[in-house]
Amino acid sequence: MKIDLTGKVALVTGGGRGIGRSIATTLGACGATVAVVDINMTNAEAVAGEIAGARAYVCDVTIAADVVALVDQVEKELGSCDILVNNAGITRDGLLVRMKDEDWDAVLATNLRSAFLTTRAASRGMMKRRWGRIVNMASVVGIMGNKGQANYAASKAGLIGLTKSVAKELASRNVLCNAIAPGFIETEMTAAMTPDARTALTGVIPMDRLGQPADVSGAVAWLASDLAAYVTGQVIVVDGGLAM
Ligand code: NAP
């Protein structure tokens, strides 16, 4: 059976590059009409240009009023919002004792508050239509913790709690909510690693390599499809075996 998302509209946040770009193109290749959302319009337009029928939207997903306007606009222009992928995320790493308040707040706002805002806005239509899929991009760091990433780990652990609560609230309306916890994936987010750090990290990954964005987007497409119609409230770990 092939993954077929024909007739579904997918909104992907942080779709302008990295994992979000791969998610947008994969969902588009499966037949979905894609709303590529990013804080950077140039990147969003470039990605939307690669996907038949896709549209680019600029939005800072930490701003409540902008998120409400975004979901409204997508529903008006593309017809609905059936699949929501909360992928936008940032890091502001630093040891706890030196972490600035603004680095804590920025990471929690971008990685966690945004998912609350988009889910609240998009779930109304999903409930009415009795069909919806929400996929939150967590991280193995939200399960295992990580030195220097107290803010990031807390945001990703928070996303897992949000996922399970939303799953319980919306399951009876056939709106499913799951999280993906990637390990270390080759994107600009991980590009800053030194060669030594990369070698050390690869050494503890049973599959002996970092992941590719496509490793994550395949899991998103599956969760968004009817092949996963009885899966909700789960955290799917995509990490080459790192966190087991
Ligand atoms: P990335 O390459 O840094 O891409 C993140 C995208 O989100 C960028 O296009 C960025 O725009 C956008 N963005 C940031 N803040 C935003 C905001 N307020 N509103 C709208 N868009 C915003 O990151 P990635 O590696 O693809 O990661 C994607 C997701 O996977 C994140 O949630 C990340 O935490 C998670 N993840 C990544 C890894 C990994 O190893 N890469 C592992 C586990 C989980 P700009 O280009 O303007 O910054």
Side-chain angles (χ1 to χ4, degrees):
M1 202 199 265
K2 262 175 76 178
I3 292 179
D4 183 7
L5 302 176
T6 307
K8 303 297 185 197
V9 174
L11 188 163
V12 182
T13 71
R17 63 182 163 95
I19 294 170
R21 176 185 176 182
S22 179
I23 293 168
T25 53
T26 300
L27 297 183
C30 293
T33 303
V34 184
V36 182
V37 177
D38 206 282
I39 199 164
N40 180 320
M41 190 53 164
T42 310
N43 287 351
E45 277 175 346
V47 173
E50 295 169 3
I51 308 167
R55 274 209 197 189
Y57 296 88
V58 70
C59 180
D60 178 343
V61 290
T62 66
I63 301 173
D66 292 5
V67 168
V68 170
L70 167 76
V71 172
D72 263 8
Q73 197 184 348
V74 168
E75 288 181 338
K76 277 194 191 103
E77 292 180 355
L78 304 182
S80 60
C81 177
D82 309 296
I83 299 163
L84 168 65
V85 185
N86 289 311
N87 166 80
I90 59 167
T91 52
R92 294 281 184 278
D93 297 351
L95 292 175
L96 178 78
V97 290
R98 282 191 233 124
M99 189 172 282
K100 295 192 179 91
D101 293 0
E102 51 268 34
D103 290 337
W104 174 272
D105 292 342
V107 168
L108 269 289
T110 307
N111 298 5
L112 180 56
R113 184 172 194 268
S114 64
F116 156 65
L117 296 174
T118 55
T119 301
R120 188 176 58 182
S123 57
R124 283 210 179 91
M126 292 177 180
M127 284 193 281
K128 266 193 211 143
R129 290 186 295 275
R130 296 286 195 272
W131 200 100
R133 298 284 190 273
I134 301 163
V135 182
N136 292 324
M137 203 51 63
S139 166
V140 289
V141 167
I143 299 168
M144 303 164 75
N146 201 17
K147 282 184 197 166
Q149 289 198 308
N151 49 0
Y152 186 78
S155 72
K156 296 302 187 181
L159 266 181
I160 292 172
L162 174 71
T163 299
K164 293 181 182 189
S165 303
V166 170
K168 286 188 175 178
E169 281 192 34
L170 306 186
S172 65
R173 313 291 176 92
N174 194 31
V175 177
L176 313 181
C177 183
N178 292 285
I180 294 185
F184 289 87
I185 309 296
E186 303 255 24
T187 68
E188 283 182 42
M189 199 177 256
T190 45
M193 247 188 291
T194 63
D196 282 355
R198 179 175 291 261
T199 307
L201 175 62
T202 308
V204 296
I205 300 173
M207 286 189 70
D208 214 18
R209 66 170 177 89
L210 268 65
Q212 294 299 317
D215 292 319
V216 178
S217 54
V220 175
W222 173 70
L223 282 174
S225 76
D226 280 330
L227 296 179
Y230 200 53
V231 179
T232 197
Q234 301 306 303
V235 183
I236 311 292
V237 179
V238 179
D239 70 344
L242 172 69
M244 69 179 156

